[in-house]
Amino acid sequence: GTIVHLLVCTDGRKGTWDVDADTDALVARRQVEQREAARRLGATGEVRFLDQVDGELDMGPNSGLELRGEVARIIRELTPTVVLTHDPWRRWRMHPDHRNAGWVGIDAIVAARDPHYFREHGIPHHRPESLLLFESEEPNHVEKVGRANLDTKIEALLAHESQFETTMEIDLDTDDGSQRAAFAARTDGEARDHGRLAGIGLGEAFRLMDPAS
């Protein structure tokens, strides 16, 4: 019953190990996969794409305050109760887009919540009730996950076939189902590890922050 919106910051054109890849085709494929993942999740809200160049988030022409303002505007338009993004404080995180997506998301919440930021938006400010940072080294909140929820999560992740090789250790040409099963088992194990933090069976751990602070 929860309305879920997804915001994808970068276009994914560099997310392949194929040196001969058609990167424009990859951008289009990533969008199709993201919409399919949203469908599998049952996310009935919007799927939006900022189309920032992969690997260059917060470095291109739409960087800094302009990018923060764009994300703040979307928060004001969609008025989410809860916002989720990367934890930018996680140590030794190599991918620059993951770090910067966290910073942009946090900075945009501050801008979206306070009325004197980006007044040119011409829409009311909006303060989400909660901010959840995923993949945090110091989680302080665990959401209980049901078996059906976890299975749905795995199916949504498997919609991203263009990322099988680079992030899921799945080779489309050779997988007989065992590699997908191994990925599902790893995801299941992560949920059990997170659940143990709260003394429950399956969970998803986050750093919970108060956007009012």
Side-chain angles (χ1 to χ4, degrees):
T2 300
I3 298 173
V4 176
H5 305 287
L6 300 174
L7 175 62
V8 181
C9 293
T10 55
D11 60 14
R13 68 173 56 250
K14 297 173 184 171
T16 177
W17 293 339
D18 180 0
V19 296
D20 299 316
D22 181 339
T23 56
D24 289 335
L26 181 58
V27 170
R29 182 179 181 185
R30 285 291 180 89
Q31 293 198 6
V32 170
E33 291 174 348
Q34 186 63 70
R35 290 192 172 94
E36 172 60 16
R39 186 196 67 79
R40 294 183 186 185
L41 282 173
T44 56
E46 298 185 29
V47 181
R48 296 197 186 187
F49 301 91
L50 290 182
D51 297 320
Q52 296 287 292
V53 176
D54 199 13
E56 300 178 20
L57 188 66
D58 207 26
M59 293 171 58
N62 186 30
S63 63
L65 283 175
E66 188 175 353
L67 179 59
R68 185 190 309 179
E70 176 66 10
V71 177
R73 181 183 59 79
I74 292 171
I75 291 172
R76 287 172 169 175
E77 288 176 351
L78 300 179
T79 64
T81 304
V82 180
V83 173
L84 295 87
T85 190
H86 291 272
D87 184 347
W89 287 284
R90 179 175 176 175
R91 293 172 296 175
W92 308 303
R93 182 188 290 279
M94 293 188 65
H95 201 302
D97 289 342
H98 295 178
R99 295 195 305 269
N100 289 331
W103 292 126
V104 169
I106 292 169
D107 292 348
I109 283 181
V110 174
R113 75 183 187 186
D114 295 340
H116 296 289
Y117 284 84
F118 302 107
R119 298 182 70 173
E120 65 273 18
H121 288 169
I123 52 179
H125 59 285
H126 173 70
R127 186 191 299 271
E129 294 179 8
S130 300
L131 168 63
L132 294 174
L133 304 180
F134 49 78
E135 297 183 340
S136 177
E137 285 188 315
E138 298 185 13
N140 62 354
H141 176 81
V142 178
E143 286 285 333
K144 186 176 182 180
V145 176
R147 180 72 255 174
N149 301 129
L150 184 58
D151 290 343
T152 297
K153 172 183 176 176
I154 292 169
E155 285 304 307
L157 289 169
L158 290 173
H160 298 279
E161 291 189 357
S162 65
Q163 299 185 58
F164 274 11
E165 182 181 25
T166 56
T167 63
M168 302 185 201
E169 300 177 22
I170 300 172
D171 186 333
L172 272 173
D173 295 328
T174 63
D175 182 33
D176 58 1
S178 59
Q179 295 174 29
R180 285 179 175 85
F183 170 75
R186 290 194 299 273
T187 306
D188 186 280
E190 290 171 0
R192 294 184 185 280
D193 290 342
H194 288 194
R196 276 192 286 272
L197 297 174
I200 58 178
L202 300 171
E204 190 92 23
F206 301 94
R207 185 72 187 183
L208 172 62
M209 298 181 67
D210 180 0
S213 62

PDB file of all heavy atoms in Angstrom, residues 3 97 113 155 165 169:
ATOM      1  N   ILE A   3       3.289   4.006  -1.553  1.00  0.00           N
ATOM      2  CA  ILE A   3       3.714   4.509  -2.863  1.00  0.00           C
ATOM      3  C   ILE A   3       5.230   4.666  -2.841  1.00  0.00           C
ATOM      4  O   ILE A   3       5.781   5.329  -1.967  1.00  0.00           O
ATOM      5  CB  ILE A   3       3.045   5.852  -3.180  1.00  0.00           C
ATOM      6  CG1 ILE A   3       1.527   5.680  -3.257  1.00  0.00           C
ATOM      7  CG2 ILE A   3       3.583   6.424  -4.493  1.00  0.00           C
ATOM      8  CD1 ILE A   3       0.769   6.983  -3.406  1.00  0.00           C
ATOM      9  N   ASP A  97      30.138   7.684  -7.740  1.00  0.00           N
ATOM     10  CA  ASP A  97      28.712   7.995  -7.840  1.00  0.00           C
ATOM     11  C   ASP A  97      27.955   7.577  -6.591  1.00  0.00           C
ATOM     12  O   ASP A  97      26.996   8.247  -6.178  1.00  0.00           O
ATOM     13  CB  ASP A  97      28.086   7.301  -9.059  1.00  0.00           C
ATOM     14  CG  ASP A  97      28.530   7.916 -10.365  1.00  0.00           C
ATOM     15  OD1 ASP A  97      29.035   9.052 -10.350  1.00  0.00           O
ATOM     16  OD2 ASP A  97      28.377   7.255 -11.409  1.00  0.00           O
ATOM     17  N   ARG A 113      13.587  20.915   2.701  1.00  0.00           N
ATOM     18  CA  ARG A 113      12.797  21.066   3.922  1.00  0.00           C
ATOM     19  C   ARG A 113      12.667  22.518   4.367  1.00  0.00           C
ATOM     20  O   ARG A 113      11.755  22.881   5.111  1.00  0.00           O
ATOM     21  CB  ARG A 113      13.432  20.257   5.053  1.00  0.00           C
ATOM     22  CG  ARG A 113      14.684  20.904   5.602  1.00  0.00           C
ATOM     23  CD  ARG A 113      15.389  20.115   6.676  1.00  0.00           C
ATOM     24  NE  ARG A 113      16.483  20.930   7.220  1.00  0.00           N
ATOM     25  CZ  ARG A 113      17.357  20.477   8.096  1.00  0.00           C
ATOM     26  NH1 ARG A 113      17.303  19.226   8.517  1.00  0.00           N
ATOM     27  NH2 ARG A 113      18.304  21.276   8.540  1.00  0.00           N
ATOM     28  N   GLU A 155      14.008 -10.810  -6.964  1.00  0.00           N
ATOM     29  CA  GLU A 155      13.484 -10.769  -8.331  1.00  0.00           C
ATOM     30  C   GLU A 155      13.668  -9.391  -8.949  1.00  0.00           C
ATOM     31  O   GLU A 155      13.957  -9.261 -10.144  1.00  0.00           O
ATOM     32  CB  GLU A 155      12.005 -11.166  -8.337  1.00  0.00           C
ATOM     33  CG  GLU A 155      11.768 -12.646  -8.164  1.00  0.00           C
ATOM     34  CD  GLU A 155      12.497 -13.468  -9.228  1.00  0.00           C
ATOM     35  OE1 GLU A 155      12.314 -13.184 -10.431  1.00  0.00           O
ATOM     36  OE2 GLU A 155      13.256 -14.382  -8.856  1.00  0.00           O
ATOM     37  N   GLU A 165      27.148  -9.387 -14.796  1.00  0.00           N
ATOM     38  CA  GLU A 165      28.570  -9.715 -14.764  1.00  0.00           C
ATOM     39  C   GLU A 165      29.323  -8.827 -13.779  1.00  0.00           C
ATOM     40  O   GLU A 165      30.175  -9.311 -13.015  1.00  0.00           O
ATOM     41  CB  GLU A 165      29.169  -9.556 -16.161  1.00  0.00           C
ATOM     42  CG  GLU A 165      30.652  -9.925 -16.230  1.00  0.00           C
ATOM     43  CD  GLU A 165      31.232  -9.745 -17.621  1.00  0.00           C
ATOM     44  OE1 GLU A 165      30.689  -8.929 -18.403  1.00  0.00           O
ATOM     45  OE2 GLU A 165      32.242 -10.414 -17.927  1.00  0.00           O
ATOM     46  N   GLU A 169      28.010 -11.485 -10.298  1.00  0.00           N
ATOM     47  CA  GLU A 169      28.770 -12.705 -10.587  1.00  0.00           C
ATOM     48  C   GLU A 169      27.908 -13.714 -11.348  1.00  0.00           C
ATOM     49  O   GLU A 169      27.925 -14.917 -11.061  1.00  0.00           O
ATOM     50  CB  GLU A 169      29.329 -13.318  -9.300  1.00  0.00           C
ATOM     51  CG  GLU A 169      30.261 -12.388  -8.547  1.00  0.00           C
ATOM     52  CD  GLU A 169      30.758 -12.995  -7.236  1.00  0.00           C
ATOM     53  OE1 GLU A 169      30.727 -14.236  -7.111  1.00  0.00           O
ATOM     54  OE2 GLU A 169      31.163 -12.237  -6.341  1.00  0.00           O
TER      55      GLU A 169
END
